[in-house]
Amino acid sequence: MGFLKKDKFEKLKEVKESKIENYLVKEIRKLKGRAYKFESPSNAGVPDRLCFLPGGVSFLIETKRPEGKLRPLQRVQINRIKGYGQIVEVLDTKEKIDVFLDKYKRR
């Protein structure tokens, strides 16, 4: 819980992962990019979205509800993908999405 007051923390817990994911898609589109839903049937635990922005920028995003935790297999997959030199982020709030995407708005 950290710096959040209990009532604010309880409200954040009510936010669904789909709401965070939909916000990500909307913000990527504002940057003239695409955020494809990524599912790999033979590779469970891969990130939710494969994102592309103009200028050859790509990254993978795992969305979670606020304070949501990664499953062990998700950690393995994320570390494996990062090992290939790819950008992978785990984002669980609209604010974290904004901060992450801000560096691409300045390009």
Side-chain angles (χ1 to χ4, degrees):
M1 196 158 39
F3 66 93
L4 293 175
K5 291 183 179 178
K6 188 174 182 177
D7 59 330
K8 174 101 174 173
F9 178 73
E10 292 302 320
K11 286 181 185 176
L12 279 177
K13 280 177 42 178
E14 294 173 9
V15 174
K16 295 184 183 212
E17 182 176 324
S18 61
K19 192 168 189 173
I20 301 299
E21 193 169 349
N22 290 338
Y23 182 77
L24 171 71
V25 171
K26 184 182 84 171
E27 293 302 304
I28 293 285
R29 284 186 180 149
K30 284 182 184 177
L31 295 173
K32 308 288 188 237
R34 301 292 280 172
Y36 294 102
K37 182 74 174 168
F38 182 50
E39 295 178 11
S40 182
S42 62
N43 292 290
V46 295
D48 298 315
R49 293 285 173 164
L50 179 56
C51 304
F52 298 100
L53 295 177
V57 176
S58 62
F59 45 84
L60 293 98
I61 303 290
E62 173 63 33
T63 55
K64 290 288 181 192
R65 64 176 177 77
E67 301 294 320
K69 304 291 182 207
L70 290 174
R71 290 178 283 123
L73 184 55
Q74 289 176 309
R75 288 186 199 288
V76 168
Q77 291 287 27
I78 287 170
N79 288 333
R80 182 176 290 146
I81 294 166
K82 284 182 174 181
Y84 292 119
Q86 302 304 308
I87 299 167
V88 184
E89 291 289 328
V90 178
L91 303 172
D92 64 354
T93 65
K94 291 178 179 181
E95 293 79 15
K96 287 181 183 176
I97 291 170
D98 291 339
V99 168
F100 176 75
L101 292 179
D102 190 51
K103 61 185 138 209
Y104 300 106
K105 291 177 183 175
R106 299 178 191 175
R107 290 180 167 218

